[in-house]
């Protein structure tokens, strides 16, 4: 059933820019239009392009923030999230935790 | 005072959850020569029916509904005492009800029990997480007219089907009406398992019971 | 027969209705929502648009390009490994395989996990296991990973919990005692919600989902609101989604107030304001479905409530669109024709920010 909703109305996750827009809703409480505009501006694309698989695959590959299909040595998971936080200019709890764990001075 | 005025006052006392007013109205209507049976059916019952509707809409809350039920019970007892023996209202039917085994949800079932009692049914609430055999034993023991079961989850809902089978096996199915309720119950489900009906809300259950038992 | 529209009843049963009947059901559905919620009915354009969604002869429908929204869920990745109890398909997968399948095969925008029981109380004693599970899974997921659970105040009452059971006290007229029991249980639940959420936060949790809030009435809702307010002070960089259990808050206590507002009887647009006041980041209204009414009737109601909620919202609104809520039939496998029509209508007419 979730799949039906994803197909009917979802943005497509990492296949497009769904995860990026989701991060803006979660961290900045942005409504959907504002969140899309923000992400489009950061990626340098039009809002309608955010769900364009052909274009977004290229954009994500260039930014190395996880793509579908997967690139064997591309960034995914936590590494991709670190890059996404940087790209979108947001603080993510998981990323901050991860970075603090890498800090040998602590 | 016109009897329709008495009916309105009776209904209003229930809506106001005013126990003292309900009692006084019941007594004074008798002194005014109003037929006690009409006072029950067209006055107080109308009040509790409206109260049920308001509860279904989130405009009245459970404690208020219970206080109204108490007021109704008190007033009806006064009016019934005034009825000649041959007119004394008999209980509308004996109902055995419970939440099926494995399911601990009983809030909705508790609300239905309250509403059924106040509408004149003799309700035996078995509680929650009740083994199927207990429904059957109690229905047999009390010569029940209705067996009601509640289930909140799709997994425990299967108990309602088992209950149908168990009642058949005990030779009781033709003697009782069965009703199902709970968050996941539907008309479709009731038909599928062979239950007589699905009660969607307290008022819906009462309306359907009236239809099935008459 | 021509001119018939194939749709479903609220229990999932197929039914063919005339165009006039569908229009009539849509109209009376929106009128019912407006009457109950004291909110505006859908306007004539909305009604026409909703009718067109039902009149579409395709089996499934979808939003127009550019109108896509974000999907959040209540542990949907768990449905791959769970069985019927979770509406699941019982695949022999690990949770990691399940979450990654959800991310990379289903292409979800976010994913959610939780404890199998999905209630707060059972998580408390095993919270370290949940922290470890979340931490591990969050290392490999790129999409936001939420941890979800239901407050479920019901589990705090006897015999499951320490507090006297209002379901036993109320019928015996012990209203004061029943209210006290709910107030005390709500305080314990609030503390447990904060404890569990803070523990997950320590594991790097990016989002926490208070799912099916107020299922045990106004005291349950109070505990969730108080917990969220506390969490947004101490763990502000963990997003919180507040998803509701029904269209109005059931008044099992009846007199509970929060910031001077009585919680019992609040409808979605008012529930949202409470969610915003405590700092929730996403709000998920849940509109009840009447199994005995048609899907056009039920969906018109849901869209009416959602449209008004979105209109007054300053935060994203993601209506719950699972079994038996927001227009979806009360059936374990909600039919895809209704599922996609609900998604389209809630987004295009209700203007939802997500689902």
């Amino acid at each position: 059933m979730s799949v039906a909703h994803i197909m009917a109305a979802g943005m497509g996750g990492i296949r497009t820019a769904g995860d990026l827009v989701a991060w803006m809703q979660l961290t900045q409480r942005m409504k959907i239009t504002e969140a899309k505009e923000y992400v489009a501006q950061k990626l340098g694309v039009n809002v309608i392009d955010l769900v364009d698989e052909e274009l977004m695959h290229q954009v994500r590959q260039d930014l190395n923030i996880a793509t579908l299909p997967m690139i064997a040595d591309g960034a995914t998971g936590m590494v991709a999230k670190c890059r996404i936080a940087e790209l979108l200019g947001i603080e993510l709890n998981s990323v901050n935790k991860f970075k603090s764990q890498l800090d040998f001075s602590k | 005072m016109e009897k329709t005025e008495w009916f309105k006052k009776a209904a209003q006392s229930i809506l106001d959850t005013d126990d003292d007013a309900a009692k006084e109205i019941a007594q004074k209507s008798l002194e005014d020569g109003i037929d006690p049976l009409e006072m029950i059916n067209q006055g107080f019952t109308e009040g509790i029916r409206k109260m049920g509707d308001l509860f279904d809409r989130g405009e009245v809350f459970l404690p208020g509904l219970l206080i109204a039920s108490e007021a109704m019970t008190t007033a009806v007892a006064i009016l019934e005492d005034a009825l000649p023996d041959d007119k004394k209202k008999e209980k509308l039917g004996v109902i055995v009800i419970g939440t099926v085994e494995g399911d601990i949800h009983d809030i909705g079932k508790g609300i239905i029990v309250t509403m059924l009692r106040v509408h004149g049914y003799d309700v035996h609430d078995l509680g929650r997480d009740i083994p199927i055999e207990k429904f059957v034993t109690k229905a047999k023991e009390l010569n029940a007219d209705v067996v009601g079961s509640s289930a909140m989850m799709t997994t425990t809902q299967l108990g309602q089907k088992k209950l149908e089978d168990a009642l058949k096996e005990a030779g009781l199915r033709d003697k009782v009406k069965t009703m199902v309720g709970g968050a996941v119950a539907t008309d479709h489900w009731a038909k599928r398992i062979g239950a007589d009906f699905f009660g969607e809300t307290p008022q819906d259950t009462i309306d359907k019971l009236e239809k099935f038992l008459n | 027969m021509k001119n018939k529209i194939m749709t479903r009843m609220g229990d999932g049963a197929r039914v063919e209705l005339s165009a006039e009947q569908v229009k009539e059901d849509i109209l009376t559905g929106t009128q019912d929502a407006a009457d109950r919620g004291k909110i505006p009915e859908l306007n004539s354009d909305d009604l026409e648009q909703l009718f067109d969604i039902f009149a579409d002869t395709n089996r499934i429908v979808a939003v127009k390009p550019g109108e896509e929204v974000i999907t959040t869920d209540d542990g949907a990745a768990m449905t791959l490994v769970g069985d019927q109890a979770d509406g699941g398909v019982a695949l022999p997968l690990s949770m990691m395989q399940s979450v990654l399948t959800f991310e990379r095969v289903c292409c979800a925008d976010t994913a959610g996990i939780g404890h199998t029981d999905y209630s707060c109380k059972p998580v408390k004693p095993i919270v370290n296991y949940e922290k470890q599970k979340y931490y591990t899974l969050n290392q490999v997921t790129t999409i936001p990973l939420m941890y979800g659970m239901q407050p479920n105040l019901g589990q705090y009452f006897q015999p499951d919990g320490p507090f006297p059971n209002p379901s036993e006290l109320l019928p015996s007229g012990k209203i004061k005692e029943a209210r006290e029991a709910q107030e005390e249980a709500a305080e314990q639940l609030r503390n447990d919600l904060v404890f569990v959420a803070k523990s997950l936060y320590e594991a790097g949790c990016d989002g926490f989902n208070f799912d099916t809030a107020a299922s045990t009435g106004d005291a349950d809702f109070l505990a969730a609101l108080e917990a969220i307010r506390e969490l947004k002070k101490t763990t502000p960089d963990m997003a919180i989604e507040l998803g509701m259990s029904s269209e109005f808050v059931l008044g099992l206590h009846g007199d509970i107030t929060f910031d001077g507002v009585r919680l019992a009887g609040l409808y979605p647009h008012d529930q949202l304001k409470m969610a915003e006041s405590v700092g929730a980041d996403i709000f998920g209204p849940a509109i009840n479905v009447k199994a005995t009414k048609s899907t056009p009737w039920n969906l018109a109601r849901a869209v009416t409530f959602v449209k008004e909620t979105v209109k007054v919202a300053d935060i994203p609104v993601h209506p719950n669109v699972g079994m038996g809520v927001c227009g979806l039939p009360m059936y374990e496998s909600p039919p895809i024709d209704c599922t996609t029509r609900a998604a389209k209508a809630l987004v295009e007419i209700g203007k939802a920010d997500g689902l």
Side-chain angles (χ1 to χ4, degrees):
Chain A
M1 185 185 55
S2 299
V3 175
H5 290 308
I6 291 167
M7 293 300 115
M11 287 197 68
I14 58 174
R15 189 169 150 89
T16 56
D19 58 326
L20 308 181
V21 176
W23 282 121
M24 298 320 296
Q25 287 205 338
L26 286 165
T27 62
Q28 308 299 314
R29 296 182 198 165
M30 285 183 178
K31 307 275 282 176
I32 187 70
T33 307
E34 187 189 4
K36 283 181 178 178
E37 285 169 356
Y38 182 90
V39 173
Q41 186 260 321
K42 286 285 179 189
L43 298 180
V45 300
N46 295 315
V47 169
I48 192 77
D49 297 333
L50 295 176
V51 286
D52 181 344
E53 287 89 345
E54 190 267 336
L55 180 74
M56 283 312 302
H57 181 83
Q58 201 54 53
V59 170
R60 295 190 76 112
Q61 190 171 337
D62 292 347
L63 292 167
N64 195 15
I65 53 170
T67 61
L68 285 180
M70 279 282 161
I71 294 159
D73 59 349
T76 60
M78 187 53 74
V79 178
K81 275 190 284 215
C82 290
R83 297 180 63 80
I84 288 167
E86 184 80 17
L87 171 73
L88 297 177
I90 54 175
E91 297 283 328
L92 297 184
N93 182 36
S94 60
V95 166
N96 291 339
K97 165 122 186 140
F98 179 67
K99 285 181 176 170
S100 75
Q101 287 177 322
L102 285 175
D103 185 352
F104 281 102
S105 68
K106 286 186 181 172
Chain B
M1 197 184 339
E2 289 290 315
K3 65 180 180 182
T4 50
E5 279 303 306
W6 280 113
F7 299 157
K8 273 188 201 164
K9 273 177 171 280
Q12 194 57 46
S13 70
I14 300 301
L15 289 166
D16 292 340
T17 62
D18 191 338
D19 196 22
D20 291 338
K23 211 185 295 178
E24 195 184 323
I25 289 163
Q27 278 158 348
K28 290 202 169 162
S29 69
L30 290 174
E31 289 163 20
D32 204 19
I34 306 295
D35 179 357
L37 204 53
E38 282 189 82
M39 269 300 274
I40 294 173
N41 291 335
Q42 293 174 54
F44 289 106
T45 302
E46 196 50 33
I48 202 72
R49 184 179 287 273
K50 281 185 185 158
M51 204 66 181
D53 285 342
L54 291 170
F55 181 77
D56 282 349
R57 297 166 61 93
E59 291 178 30
V60 158
F61 312 120
L62 190 55
L65 186 66
L66 289 163
I67 297 168
S69 307
E70 286 297 313
M72 167 97 181
T73 307
T74 311
V76 169
I78 292 168
L79 294 166
E80 280 186 341
D81 273 353
L83 284 171
D85 281 350
D86 63 330
K87 277 194 165 182
K88 278 204 197 301
K89 206 175 169 190
E90 284 181 11
K91 287 289 177 190
L92 294 175
V94 176
I95 300 176
V96 168
I97 194 169
T99 305
V100 296
E101 190 165 24
D103 201 321
I104 59 167
H105 298 90
D106 61 355
I107 293 169
K109 186 260 299 164
I111 295 166
I112 293 280
V113 165
T114 302
M115 292 300 283
L116 290 172
R117 280 184 181 146
V118 90
H119 275 82
Y121 292 95
D122 182 11
V123 187
H124 296 261
D125 183 5
L126 304 180
R128 60 188 202 154
D129 194 9
I130 303 301
I132 302 303
E133 310 84 71
K134 196 165 172 187
F135 281 92
V136 177
T137 314
K138 208 69 185 172
K140 198 177 234 174
E141 178 193 323
L142 297 169
N143 197 21
D145 300 297
V146 180
V147 177
S149 60
S150 175
M152 277 293 283
M153 302 180 291
T154 51
T155 42
T156 54
Q157 189 181 35
L158 299 173
Q160 294 178 321
K161 168 81 173 79
K162 286 181 191 161
L163 176 58
E164 290 292 325
D165 296 341
L167 287 168
K168 269 183 214 155
E169 206 170 303
L172 290 176
R173 186 59 189 87
D174 295 336
K175 296 175 188 161
V176 298
K177 297 289 179 194
T178 57
M179 58 180 190
V180 292
V184 290
T186 60
D187 265 339
H188 202 53
W189 171 249
K191 278 183 201 135
R192 199 170 129 198
I193 65 171
D196 287 303
F197 69 93
F198 152 61
E200 189 157 30
T201 62
Q203 199 55 57
D204 181 52
T205 308
I206 286 153
D207 292 345
K208 284 178 178 163
L209 261 179
E210 275 177 21
K211 188 182 129 197
F212 273 91
L213 292 179
N214 297 321
Chain C
M1 186 180 158
K2 280 185 182 174
N3 204 26
K4 288 275 185 184
I5 293 171
M6 201 286 281
T7 182
R8 308 255 176 189
M9 296 302 289
D11 61 4
R14 284 176 74 147
V15 60
E16 282 196 332
L17 301 176
S18 67
E20 290 68 33
Q21 185 61 57
V22 169
K23 283 180 184 169
E24 174 68 14
D25 282 7
I26 289 172
L27 182 64
T28 53
T30 189
Q31 286 170 341
D32 187 70
D35 178 43
R36 284 171 184 255
K38 297 174 181 61
I39 54 175
E41 291 175 21
L42 295 177
N43 61 38
S44 55
D45 287 348
D46 296 335
L47 296 176
E48 201 175 318
Q49 203 176 342
L50 189 51
F51 173 76
D52 288 345
I53 290 172
F54 281 106
D56 190 321
T57 51
N58 288 297
R59 179 166 168 258
I60 60 174
V61 298
V63 300
K64 294 181 190 75
E67 298 214 24
E68 299 86 353
V69 295
I70 294 306
T71 55
T72 48
D73 62 73
D74 50 354
M78 289 155 62
T79 62
L80 295 179
V81 294
D83 65 4
Q84 192 191 15
D86 306 307
V89 293
L91 285 172
L93 300 177
S94 69
M95 272 306 291
M96 183 174 288
Q97 290 164 328
S98 177
V99 168
L100 290 179
T101 300
F102 205 59
E103 173 180 284
R104 298 177 191 183
V105 179
C106 304
C107 302
D109 299 313
T110 70
I113 60 163
H115 176 39
T116 309
D117 185 274
Y118 213 59
S119 295
C120 176
K121 190 162 164 275
V123 177
K124 189 180 173 188
I126 54 140
V127 73
N128 280 336
Y129 177 78
E130 295 301 284
K131 281 173 76 169
Q132 179 225 340
K133 182 168 80 182
Y134 182 89
Y135 180 84
T136 308
L137 294 174
N138 205 25
Q139 298 305 305
V140 295
T141 48
T142 303
I143 59 175
L145 182 64
M146 313 273 286
Y147 186 90
M149 62 185 193
Q150 300 179 357
N152 205 350
L153 186 69
Q155 291 191 344
Y156 287 76
F157 298 124
Q158 293 164 1
D160 309 298
F163 299 100
N165 197 327
S167 293
E168 286 162 11
L169 294 169
L170 284 169
S172 47
K174 294 179 177 170
I175 291 172
K176 183 170 168 280
E177 291 84 347
R179 283 180 163 154
E180 283 169 1
Q182 290 178 74
E183 288 159 18
E184 287 165 16
E187 194 178 340
Q188 180 65 57
L189 171 60
R190 174 212 169 278
N191 294 340
D192 289 355
L193 288 167
V194 170
F195 171 77
V196 171
K198 271 189 180 170
S199 301
L200 267 295
Y201 174 80
E202 289 164 9
C205 186
D206 287 312
F208 204 93
N209 187 357
F210 283 71
D211 186 43
T212 322
S215 63
T216 317
D218 40 356
D220 186 305
F221 193 35
L222 175 75
L225 291 172
E226 288 185 345
I228 294 170
R229 177 169 279 175
E230 167 72 15
L231 289 165
K232 291 312 283 188
K233 281 183 200 152
T234 52
T235 61
D237 48 345
M238 178 171 68
I240 293 181
E241 178 166 359
L242 175 62
M244 299 302 293
S245 53
S246 65
E247 68 189 30
F248 65 81
V249 177
L250 195 59
L252 296 183
H253 182 293
D255 274 351
I256 284 180
T257 60
F258 183 78
D259 287 350
V261 177
R262 174 145 77 174
L263 298 180
L266 289 186
Y267 274 87
H269 53 292
D270 292 324
Q271 296 163 9
L272 164 101
K273 285 295 158 197
M274 304 309 293
E276 284 183 344
S277 76
V278 295
D281 300 284
I282 296 177
F283 176 69
I287 314 303
N288 305 352
V289 158
K290 246 183 162 5
T292 46
K293 294 282 192 177
S294 73
T295 297
W297 188 89
N298 280 304
L299 188 52
R301 277 184 96 250
V303 173
T304 307
F305 277 119
V306 168
K307 187 182 176 191
E308 180 63 14
T309 306
V310 173
K311 192 171 89 186
V312 298
D314 294 320
I315 61 174
V317 175
H318 290 199
N320 285 291
V321 277
M323 167 188 177
V325 280
C326 285
L328 266 70
M330 177 62 78
Y331 191 65
E332 277 180 302
S333 311
I336 198 163
D337 45 281
C338 292
T339 309
T340 56
R341 278 168 176 77
K344 184 175 172 71
L346 291 165
V347 170
E348 290 187 347
I349 307 170
K351 304 296 177 197
D353 300 281
L355 296 172

